[in-house]
Amino acid sequence: GAGVSQSPSNKVTEKGKDVELRCDPISGHTALYWYRQSLGQGLEFLIYFQGNSAPDKSGLPSDRFSAERTGGSVSTLTIQRTQQEDSAVYLCASSFSSWVGGRTDTQYFGPGTRLTVL
Amino acid sequence: GQSLEQPSEVTAVEGAIVQINCTYQTSGFYGLSWYQQHDGGAPTFLSYNALDGLEETGRFSSFLSRSDSYGYLLLQELQMKDSASYFCAVRVLGATNKLIFGTGTLLAVQP
C-alpha cells in the first residue's frame, strides 16, 4: 500500500501475556518511529529507528518493551508480561530521512494498534 | 525537558475562524509542527514552522514566535469536517527526528 500499515488493528490480551505489534512503513522511508497514545492524551515517543538500528530508545517505559526492525523495513514492537497500564493505542510513523536540519521531514502515521490488557 | 501546553477544548461554528494556541518550554528545537487527528484515526501533518512568522496552507495557517515561546494554528472558514483533535509538536535538537507532542486540543465545529 501507499501508506503506513499496522497490524493488528485491535488486540485484546490478558495481563501477563506477551504481545507483538507490527508496522510496515512507507517504502523507501529510512526512519521509523513508535509512539503511544493513551485515551484522550497526546502522543508519547517510544523509540526511533534509522535503518535497522535504534539510536534513540529513550521513550521505552520499561525493559518489558523492546522493538526491532529488519531489512530496513518492517518493525515489531514487543511488550512482555503486559500490564493494564500498557493499554493504549500504539502508533507507528515513518519519514524519508532522519536528519533534516532546518527543514521539515514529515512523519506519516499508521492507523495504530489499539491494545487492551484485561 | 520539553512541554507543550494547549487548550483542552475549543468550540466554534461553521464558517468562523478559530485559533489554537501552543505555548512551550523547551531547551531547543528545529521547528513547530501541527497535526490533525480525527477520532480513531491516524495523526496527519498540517503545517510546519521552521522560522518565526506565518505559514499559510489553504484554510490553515500556522505561526511561530520563538522569542515568546508561542505558536498557533489558525483555521479559517471552518467546516464540520474540521472537528478533530489538533496537536502541536516540536522536533528536538539532536540526532533524531523524534517529535514531542503537545497535550492536544479537541475542536468541535457546530452548525
Side-chain angles (χ1 to χ4, degrees):
Chain A
V4 177
S5 61
Q6 293 185 244
S7 60
S9 55
N10 280 285
K11 176 71 177 178
V12 180
T13 190
E14 294 179 348
K15 178 181 174 181
K17 300 284 189 181
D18 298 352
V19 296
E20 285 190 353
L21 312 179
R22 176 187 169 104
C23 171
D24 282 271
I26 293 173
S27 178
H29 280 191
T30 60
L32 186 146
Y33 316 81
W34 283 97
Y35 295 88
R36 179 169 71 174
Q37 186 174 31
S38 300
L39 186 63
Q41 301 297 311
L43 283 75
E44 173 191 6
F45 168 79
L46 297 178
I47 187 170
Y48 149 72
F49 286 92
Q50 174 58 33
N52 291 335
S53 64
D56 191 344
K57 307 178 183 179
S58 62
L60 295 178
S62 76
D63 59 7
R64 296 186 296 105
F65 288 72
S66 63
E68 65 175 12
R69 188 180 185 194
T70 55
S73 181
V74 172
S75 176
T76 303
L77 177 69
T78 301
I79 309 174
Q80 296 178 310
R81 306 181 302 281
T82 52
Q83 304 294 313
Q84 289 183 333
E85 61 263 29
D86 299 335
S87 296
V89 176
Y90 289 82
L91 290 156
C92 174
S94 69
S95 66
F96 184 69
S97 65
S98 61
W99 185 88
V100 291
R103 69 172 177 84
T104 183
D105 187 36
T106 302
Q107 294 188 19
Y108 296 87
F109 283 82
T113 294
R114 182 175 299 278
L115 174 66
T116 303
V117 182
L118 301 177
Chain B
Q2 298 90 13
S3 68
L4 297 93
E5 296 295 324
Q6 301 178 234
S8 58
E9 294 184 27
V10 173
T11 302
V13 297
E14 261 188 308
I17 299 172
V18 71
Q19 178 174 313
I20 298 175
N21 298 326
C22 174
T23 56
Y24 58 84
Q25 291 184 347
T26 179
S27 53
F29 62 96
Y30 289 116
L32 183 70
S33 301
W34 287 92
Y35 283 78
Q36 177 192 61
Q37 185 179 31
H38 285 98
D39 190 29
T44 56
F45 172 79
L46 289 178
S47 187
Y48 176 76
N49 293 74
L51 304 174
D52 283 6
L54 192 67
E55 292 285 339
E56 297 180 77
T57 309
R59 294 189 297 114
F60 296 168
S61 302
S62 60
F63 174 82
L64 174 64
S65 170
R66 290 177 185 265
S67 60
D68 295 324
S69 298
Y70 166 72
Y72 66 73
L73 179 69
L74 191 73
L75 296 85
Q76 303 181 68
E77 301 172 16
L78 280 175
Q79 303 174 9
M80 297 297 290
K81 67 178 182 180
D82 296 330
S83 294
S85 290
Y86 293 84
F87 295 91
C88 58
V90 294
R91 289 182 42 245
V92 296
L93 292 177
T96 75
N97 193 29
K98 72 181 181 186
L99 291 171
I100 304 298
F101 282 83
T103 51
T105 299
L106 180 61
L107 171 64
V109 180
Q110 297 178 341

